[in-house]
Amino acid sequence: AEKVTSLGKDWHRPCLRCEKCNKTLTSGGHAEHDGKPYCNHPCYAALFGPKGGCLWWGHGGSERAWGS
């Protein structure tokens, strides 16, 4: 199996997966929290992204203002 390095560890390519949704990730193409890999969107953004602000991303990627 092909080896990839990410988060300071070596992984079998199919074993580097998002901790929440289990999507296969690429080395350097993902986020981490507490040493665990997460896909950038939607998992990392939903779990650990900013909770405040004037915009949020709705389902389907549409941008909406608060209160609309």
Side-chain angles (χ1 to χ4, degrees):
E2 191 174 341
K3 177 179 82 171
V4 293
T5 301
S6 187
L7 305 176
K9 298 187 257 182
D10 292 332
W11 305 74
H12 293 111
R13 182 169 298 281
C15 295
L16 182 57
R17 295 182 170 272
C18 175
E19 196 69 21
K20 178 156 174 50
C21 73
N22 211 31
K23 175 183 170 183
T24 302
L25 304 171
T26 59
S27 181
H30 60 84
E32 71 87 30
H33 186 80
D34 289 337
K36 297 177 184 173
Y38 292 87
C39 59
N40 288 313
H41 188 75
C43 295
Y44 184 87
L47 292 169
F48 310 111
K51 304 296 186 225
C54 60
L55 296 176
W56 65 279
W57 291 95
H59 294 290
S62 60
E63 205 173 37
R64 301 179 189 172
W66 289 113
S68 63

